[in-house]
Amino acid sequence: MKNLKNALLLKHLYHLKDLGHRYTDLTIFKEDPSDLLLPNTMEELRKQALNCHLCELSKSRTKVVFGEGNENADILFVGEAPGASEDSQGKPFVGKSGELLTKMIENVLNIPRSEVYIANIVKCRPPENRAPTATEAHTCRPYIFKQIELIKPKLIVTLGSTAYHYLTDDSTPISQIRGVINQQPDYIIIPTFHPSYLLRNPSAKKEVFEDLKKVKSLM
Ligand code: URA
């Protein structure tokens, strides 16, 4: 889903479902306002995301965390949503899990962090670090799909179940799917554990090491 009109439609449908509706008339959504199309440059896309108020998270965020890195990267890392440090700095993965992600990139893939691109499914921090709701993720994901379209990565490493789930619509648990290559028409997705899971479960680092070795062999 690459355009905001579809995301807004989905958000509206979730809202109607929450209110108890089971059927709705889609013809009322027919008009196609062109200002809901996402821009075709990263700078314009960033500006649009920084001014986004499409979901509730815009009310509580400090900064929008759009993403950062090499806009022509071969590898894109996608996380779930910003935490407290990211929310205050406006940059992805700058807290404790960011330190670990940087080590994973620099010590296992042997490339500088600045050579890859890092972004999240959801660009604003969910309060209390809760997982984003389906509505928040669906409303926000046109931004990550547009980032993918602009960056054209060869490989996407999804960090944790949320990122994998919302990029693929596959809800297989991460413990079953990690390390399994998911071939998409224009890129490969390799799901692995989220660094914050590794901070809580250091013994899972060896699996992530294997997944990153796979990434390295595909590079
Ligand atoms: N966790 C994420 O998923 N993303 C961040 O940017 C930071 C922590």
Side-chain angles (χ1 to χ4, degrees), residues 65 79-83 86 91-93 97 120 194:
V65 180
E80 178 177 290
E86 291 78 18
K91 293 178 175 187
F93 283 99
S97 57
N120 286 302
H194 194 286

Side-chain angles (χ1 to χ4, degrees), residues 44-98:
E44 288 301 312
L45 185 65
R46 177 189 295 277
K47 273 190 210 150
Q48 186 153 334
L50 296 192
N51 288 306
C52 182
H53 291 90
L54 289 176
C55 84
E56 292 290 301
L57 298 181
S58 60
K59 294 184 192 161
S60 52
R61 74 180 177 224
T62 310
K63 287 191 174 159
V64 175
V65 180
F66 177 71
E68 69 171 10
N70 175 2
E71 293 176 8
N72 299 305
D74 283 340
I75 308 183
L76 167 65
F77 283 82
V78 180
E80 178 177 290
S85 314
E86 291 78 18
D87 177 65
S88 67
Q89 294 185 43
K91 293 178 175 187
F93 283 99
V94 288
K96 284 237 161 353
S97 57

